[in-house]
Amino acid sequence: MTEIALSSLYQQLILEHYRKPRNKGRLPAPTVVVHMNNPVCGDDIQLHLAVDAEQRVTAATFLGHGCSISQASVSMMTVRLKGKTLDEALALAERFTEMMHGSREAARDRTLGELRALQGVSKFPVRIKCALLGFDALQEAARRVRRQADGPAGD
Ligand code: ZN
């Protein structure tokens, strides 16, 4: 047993994303870049999104380091984001957050794809923040893109 007793199939999937992260790197011309960290665990994520005029995510990449939960979560998240509108991306974030807070219904939702491998983390409160870090960055990125789209803002 490792520090977290997840089912072995899910554990493998998490480690696979941790060792071979998808979409890791910078975007040449990101619409928005959001940096988030989780000092409790030492996780660090920089999310890069390219969003077109219809508010659709055309590319999503990340840079980062930290525990396997945080890095696998953001890797899996970037896989799900491509082609989604900001509304759809935020719905995914909401669904994932529900799963992290123990919703069994959310844990069965196929729209989460491989992210469902992280459902066991909901039983370990100190690690939930690790799993949510990439989604926190996504929510902040969506807010910034919308602020830009709303025209010149005061801040
Ligand atoms: Zn962590």
Side-chain angles (χ1 to χ4, degrees):
M1 282 291 177
T2 52
E3 52 175 322
I4 286 191
L6 302 175
S7 88
S8 63
L9 186 72
Y10 283 165
Q11 184 94 20
Q12 275 173 30
L13 200 53
I14 290 165
L15 285 176
E16 212 265 321
H17 271 267
Y18 178 57
R19 290 179 185 138
K20 288 185 205 154
R22 316 299 195 269
N23 305 307
K24 193 159 185 185
R26 296 168 192 283
L27 281 183
T31 310
V32 62
V33 175
V34 172
H35 185 213
M36 288 266 167
N37 64 5
N38 171 20
V40 177
C41 184
D43 307 318
D44 190 282
I45 286 171
Q46 204 185 85
L47 180 67
H48 292 222
L49 289 187
V51 182
D52 70 13
E54 274 76 52
Q55 302 220 324
R56 196 172 285 277
V57 177
T58 54
T61 66
F62 76 100
L63 296 172
H65 56 85
C67 71
S68 59
I69 304 280
S70 67
Q71 303 303 303
S73 175
V74 68
S75 171
M76 290 171 179
M77 181 187 85
T78 60
V79 171
R80 304 302 293 174
L81 286 183
K82 200 174 172 191
K84 281 195 166 36
T85 63
L86 287 184
D87 280 342
E88 290 165 346
L90 288 171
L92 183 77
E94 203 169 299
R95 210 67 179 131
F96 185 77
T97 304
E98 285 167 12
M99 185 178 81
M100 279 301 115
H101 291 143
S103 163
R104 288 195 194 169
E105 193 226 328
R108 281 194 299 267
D109 190 333
R110 288 176 180 275
T111 62
L112 288 172
E114 290 182 329
L115 286 162
R116 289 190 298 171
L118 292 155
Q119 61 185 259
V121 177
S122 67
K123 298 190 200 83
F124 303 86
V126 294
R127 309 305 298 277
I128 293 175
K129 179 87 184 147
C130 303
L132 287 175
L133 193 62
F135 286 92
D136 289 346
L138 172 62
Q139 287 170 325
E140 176 59 22
R143 274 193 287 273
R144 290 191 198 171
V145 170
R146 287 194 166 148
R147 225 180 284 146
Q148 286 169 19
D150 286 344
D155 61 320

